[in-house]
Amino acid sequence: MTKDSFIRYVQEMVIPLFTGSHIMGEEVSTPRDNEVAQGSNGTMLVKPHKDDEYRLILKRSQPFKNADIELMQAIIFELDKISEYGIEDITYRQRLRAMAMEKAICKSLTDVANETLLNIISELDSYARKTYEGHRIKFGVIINEYTNCQNKQPNLNYKNLFKKDFFTVMSNGIQSCIEVDKEGYILNHIIFEKLRFAPTITPYDYTGVAKYCNEKRIGVVLLESGEILLFKNRELMFCKKRGVWGSYCHDEIIQLLSNRTSHTIKEIRKAIYFTALDCSFAGTGGCLVYLNKDEIENALTHIDINDILDEKYFELKKQQLIEESRKLYNLGKEPSIKEEDTFLEYIEKNNLVKSSCLRECIGQRKFQELSRKFREEITAVDGATIIDYDGTIVAIGAIVKINAGSSGGGRLAATKTLARYGVAIKISADGIMQAFVRDRKNHTVKSIFTVG
């Protein structure tokens, strides 16, 4: 594999697996160096062949873990096998390299059932191109590594069952899954509503399958959209979208939301991340903003007073509007708000139904104190959901006054505008999550992660 093609492969296929990572540069390497190794300051060093005279340096804010190194080693191992074939057809070679990624992911999840897992993914890929009774198929399979089927008849193996039409409606991956052993023989039909509580990191709708998939069970779920999800250790591990695999480095993303400031609270960051994840898989889209403690007044200049839900921030915004009305170019104009207007009087006088309804539903609760489903639903309201440093909800469905010269669609422009004052996450209707913060060096906005 040439250096250019390897760099391209890392950028297109490997970087999405390690959220927040990038190629920092390269270093000189010798045949004595491993193809994959832990570098200084938590970096990862990687090259395609033992004899290569360079290693790329991959970096992210969180150090790479042993599991990340092992996954990368499995990828390089598969790529090396492809190189031995000496295939000249570029298209065929690219497809094999994509398959190498898939095989490596399967091996990283299970030693004893990786072949079964790989083949089930292939079967679900074929399901994604089919319909049943006019509807796209959704399906879930759980591979149980430590329970063996006692009735190993060939017709009870997944290879045969996936060929039968009746099998397509026997699970949906949300409330139920088919359970098989490590060789793919059917064990059981699982209903998740009967499971006891267990902490999970997963989109809200897939809490059941995540709870069931402990360290010895792997869940494979096909969505109606054609995406494939992989679960283990009670969390969503990988997702295949549009033919490309991505991983969900949950701890890394939650840490990135701190934006390197000391005032953030992990509980709030988790609530924001979980909500973004839920909106991503619900297909609702949204814009979530977590403001820095010292930037709130600056952020308020972009927020309409009619969208503000908290009395403290209403008073700050009121003062901004009054000061603006006193400037020379506004003399003679009737101010939109008066000094004596109180928050509740203003809401009633202007018939702000949305504000009244949301305040009634939220009560005195912070963002992190609301239920996950409610957080998902309010974030789906058109506009930005804005949260301050301690979880107070500043606004929901806020129409943002964007900076001049902003590019992209309205939601992206609003996200980048508010990213100057904290962390802003745009969730598109197709599930892609993009987070932005201010780049203090260049006085612009930069992306800190893209997932999906």
Side-chain angles (χ1 to χ4, degrees):
M1 192 181 235
T2 66
K3 184 176 180 179
D4 287 344
S5 63
F6 182 64
I7 291 173
R8 194 159 53 247
Y9 182 85
V10 169
Q11 289 173 332
E12 294 175 0
M13 304 293 287
V14 175
I15 293 297
L17 279 177
F18 304 111
T19 306
S21 64
H22 62 278
I23 299 175
M24 183 182 174
E26 62 180 74
E27 67 171 28
V28 175
S29 179
T30 71
R32 293 191 301 273
D33 296 323
N34 292 329
E35 290 93 331
V36 183
Q38 190 95 44
S40 59
N41 300 317
T43 58
M44 184 192 297
L45 309 174
V46 57
K47 61 181 179 179
H49 305 295
K50 194 80 171 168
D51 294 334
D52 285 315
E53 297 177 349
Y54 72 96
R55 285 196 296 194
L56 298 181
I57 305 170
L58 303 188
K59 183 173 177 59
R60 65 181 184 188
S61 60
Q62 291 273 88
F64 286 99
K65 302 175 184 175
N66 288 337
D68 302 322
I69 302 296
E70 289 169 6
L71 175 56
M72 195 68 227
Q73 288 171 336
I75 293 169
I76 295 299
F77 176 78
E78 296 297 332
L79 287 177
D80 193 49
K81 288 201 295 186
I82 293 169
S83 298
E84 291 175 2
Y85 298 146
I87 297 166
E88 296 183 1
D89 187 297
I90 295 175
T91 303
Y92 185 33
R93 196 164 60 228
Q94 287 175 338
R95 289 183 180 179
L96 284 176
R97 286 172 180 169
M99 178 62 77
M101 177 72 69
E102 201 156 282
K103 288 184 71 175
I105 288 171
C106 292
K107 286 182 177 179
S108 74
L109 289 174
T110 171
D111 291 328
V112 299
N114 58 78
E115 187 174 332
T116 299
L117 176 58
L118 183 65
N119 289 333
I120 286 175
I121 290 171
S122 178
E123 295 286 358
L124 291 180
D125 265 332
S126 67
Y127 265 18
R129 296 186 289 273
K130 299 176 182 177
T131 59
Y132 184 81
E133 299 289 346
H135 299 286
R136 289 190 173 274
I137 298 169
K138 48 187 179 180
F139 200 85
V141 181
I142 290 172
I143 300 172
N144 189 322
E145 293 183 292
Y146 59 80
T147 302
N148 290 318
C149 176
Q150 301 303 310
N151 186 14
K152 296 198 174 184
Q153 298 178 33
N155 61 356
L156 294 179
N157 191 274
Y158 72 91
K159 294 177 183 177
N160 180 61
L161 291 169
F162 271 114
K163 298 173 185 176
K164 309 300 180 183
D165 286 344
F166 79 89
F167 197 57
T168 63
V169 295
M170 284 193 64
S171 83
N172 63 17
I174 298 176
Q175 288 93 11
S176 64
C177 275
I178 297 293
E179 188 171 21
V180 300
D181 72 3
K182 62 188 177 186
E183 295 176 350
Y185 290 95
I186 192 165
L187 288 170
N188 202 355
H189 180 268
I190 305 298
I191 302 294
F192 299 126
E193 63 186 21
K194 300 176 182 178
L195 299 179
R196 293 180 300 175
F197 171 79
T200 62
I201 306 179
T202 183
Y204 180 82
D205 288 340
Y206 301 93
T207 302
V209 64
K211 276 197 293 188
Y212 193 70
C213 292
N214 57 19
E215 66 281 356
K216 289 293 186 179
R217 296 190 185 103
I218 303 131
V220 194
V221 176
L222 170 68
L223 311 189
E224 283 185 285
S225 60
E227 297 167 14
I228 294 177
L229 311 182
L230 298 181
F231 299 85
K232 194 176 184 182
N233 299 325
R234 295 194 171 94
E235 62 184 65
L236 173 64
M237 303 285 287
F238 298 96
C239 176
K240 186 179 185 181
K241 289 184 179 181
R242 298 175 293 277
V244 177
W245 283 99
S247 71
Y248 284 83
C249 306
H250 309 291
D251 291 339
E252 168 70 13
I253 295 174
I254 291 167
Q255 179 59 34
L256 286 170
L257 292 178
S258 70
N259 196 16
R260 298 183 178 180
T261 56
S262 59
H263 64 261
T264 66
I265 301 169
K266 188 172 183 180
E267 183 185 359
I268 302 173
R269 286 185 271 123
K270 283 181 68 175
I272 291 170
Y273 172 58
F274 278 28
T275 302
L277 196 62
D278 295 342
C279 290
S280 170
F281 281 87
T284 60
C287 174
L288 270 168
V289 184
Y290 185 28
L291 296 175
N292 289 347
K293 187 175 184 178
D294 56 352
E295 293 284 3
I296 292 173
E297 288 195 45
N298 294 326
L300 286 176
T301 62
H302 298 274
I303 303 168
D304 193 298
I305 194 167
N306 293 345
D307 292 322
I308 293 176
L309 298 179
D310 182 75
E311 186 170 1
K312 178 177 68 173
Y313 295 121
F314 170 84
E315 291 296 330
L316 286 172
K317 181 66 179 181
K318 181 175 74 172
Q319 292 306 315
Q320 287 181 353
L321 293 175
I322 290 171
E323 289 172 15
E324 182 69 18
S325 71
R326 291 170 179 162
K327 293 181 178 177
L328 283 174
Y329 52 79
N330 282 320
L331 291 179
K333 293 182 183 178
E334 184 70 23
S336 59
I337 192 168
K338 299 176 181 178
E339 185 75 58
E340 62 269 20
D341 286 343
T342 67
F343 185 33
L344 295 180
E345 287 172 347
Y346 183 84
I347 289 175
E348 185 176 352
K349 182 173 70 174
N350 290 276
N351 194 28
L352 302 181
V353 178
K354 184 184 78 172
S355 297
S356 296
C357 176
L358 289 168
R359 278 176 55 82
E360 197 67 30
C361 293
I362 293 167
Q364 300 300 312
R365 292 176 293 175
K366 309 277 191 184
F367 184 76
Q368 67 272 21
E369 295 167 348
L370 303 176
S371 70
R372 278 186 70 170
K373 195 62 182 175
F374 187 36
R375 294 200 305 257
E376 176 197 317
E377 290 164 346
I378 60 177
T379 304
V381 175
D382 190 29
T385 298
I386 303 168
I387 302 141
D388 79 357
Y389 61 94
D390 73 351
T392 299
I393 300 172
V394 179
I396 292 170
I399 305 305
V400 178
K401 179 182 177 183
I402 63 175
N403 290 325
S406 297
S407 59
R411 184 176 281 167
L412 180 59
T415 305
K416 288 185 174 181
T417 294
L418 293 177
R420 296 176 180 273
Y421 313 110
V423 182
I425 307 173
K426 171 186 174 285
I427 309 111
S428 62
D430 62 358
I432 297 174
M433 295 186 290
Q434 294 174 280
F436 300 90
V437 297
R438 183 172 64 188
D439 187 338
R440 299 180 189 276
K441 291 182 180 178
N442 301 317
H443 305 290
T444 57
V445 168
K446 64 180 180 180
S447 173
I448 53 171
F449 69 78
T450 299
V451 181

